[in-house]
Amino acid sequence: MKFFLDTANLEEIRQAASWGILDGVTTNPTLLARENPLDVQEHLYRICEIVQGPVSAEVVATDYEGMLEEARALASLHPHIVVKVPMIRDGVRAIRTLAQEGISTNCTLVFSPAQALVAAKAGASYVSPFVGRLDDVGTSGLELVRQILTIYSHYGFETRVLVASVRHPMHVVEAALMGADVCTMPFKVLEQLIQHPLTDVGLERFLADWQKRQVSSAP
Ligand code: E4P
């Protein structure tokens, strides 16, 4: 499973990249607005230079022509850019056109298996089911991931399933058990994947025992 970071924060991206387990980044208008960069394109370029993999950058137009114009500009920024396009009618049309132009897309805001099927038929490179937001409204986000994986396996679609709106490590683990291609997660969740209280206690005990041995064997 590929690990993407769901952030536009350069420090978080640098840190995760330094651990050697970062495969890509997803941004969205909310995450970029949080960083409030002076120059958005420059900021995206800097992210692309840190990450050796796909970086999703979202269009904010909602009409076909506007989305295409933004998508082409974003794609020309850096070879790592994947253009995020919302699952709306004009978005589907834009994804199809961009696929024909060889521009990678991530179909975002996907909340049903039907939408995921449409995204794949349009030729999206990635589809992003938002698991946390579905959980928030009392539906199982992970059940949607399972349904999408089943549907895609029947037809051999090349669209990769990018599990998004991840809230905790079990979202990542369950998605990995199902064989989802990618999980994009906040920095906090990536840290949580590494941590375990028994690891901390165990390490503390090993080091204390080692310290004692050195003290007792000192001349
Ligand atoms: C996906 O690419 C989105 O950026 C993101 O996962 C949305 O997550 P949220 O529901 O935590 O805002």
Side-chain angles (χ1 to χ4, degrees):
M1 167 181 265
K2 302 252 185 230
F3 282 179
F4 287 7
L5 212 52
D6 198 25
T7 185
N9 182 281
L10 295 177
E11 197 36 51
E12 290 181 347
I13 296 167
R14 268 191 211 103
Q15 268 204 61
S18 76
W19 300 339
I21 53 170
L22 184 65
D23 300 302
V25 163
T26 50
T27 68
N28 64 37
T30 304
L31 294 170
L32 274 166
R34 198 176 289 162
E35 300 308 314
N36 202 18
L38 279 178
D39 183 336
V40 175
Q41 299 206 338
E42 166 68 18
H43 193 82
L44 287 168
Y45 184 85
R46 288 172 75 184
I47 294 175
C48 291
E49 286 290 285
I50 302 169
V51 189
Q52 294 315 305
V55 174
S56 287
E58 191 160 341
V59 297
V60 286
T62 52
D63 64 294
Y64 174 71
E65 293 297 345
M67 280 192 256
L68 284 187
E69 195 181 323
E70 278 184 40
R72 289 172 186 141
L74 286 168
S76 70
L77 273 182
H78 197 284
H80 290 170
I81 292 284
V82 172
V83 181
K84 242 177 167 182
V85 179
M87 170 43 77
I88 53 177
R89 263 181 282 183
D90 278 27
V92 171
R93 200 173 149 212
I95 287 168
R96 164 57 76 203
T97 303
L98 292 167
Q100 283 161 350
E101 291 179 15
I103 294 177
S104 301
T105 55
N106 172 355
C107 183
T108 190
L109 291 166
V110 166
F111 294 96
S112 76
Q115 289 180 319
L117 179 56
V118 172
K121 284 189 68 71
S125 318
Y126 297 89
V127 66
S128 288
F130 276 38
V131 297
R133 292 193 195 186
L134 278 169
D135 290 354
D136 289 346
V137 295
T139 313
S140 169
L142 286 167
E143 176 56 17
L144 171 61
V145 175
R146 195 191 58 73
Q147 290 171 334
I148 297 172
L149 287 167
T150 303
I151 291 170
Y152 283 12
S153 72
H154 290 327
Y155 301 102
F157 286 127
E158 285 177 13
T159 304
R160 279 149 286 176
V161 179
L162 193 166
V163 179
S165 185
V166 160
R167 300 278 157 81
H168 49 73
M170 284 315 291
H171 274 153
V172 182
V173 172
E174 292 294 337
L177 283 167
M178 291 178 205
D181 303 280
V182 188
C183 212
T184 188
M185 63 200 90
F187 184 72
K188 188 187 80 170
V189 174
L190 186 63
E191 285 184 310
Q192 287 173 325
L193 288 181
I194 298 169
Q195 291 158 356
H196 196 288
L198 289 178
T199 304
D200 297 341
V201 170
L203 183 60
E204 207 175 299
R205 202 172 295 162
F206 282 155
L207 295 180
D209 289 346
W210 183 246
Q211 192 63 27
K212 272 189 256 156
R213 186 207 69 93
Q214 285 184 319
V215 170
S216 63
S217 66

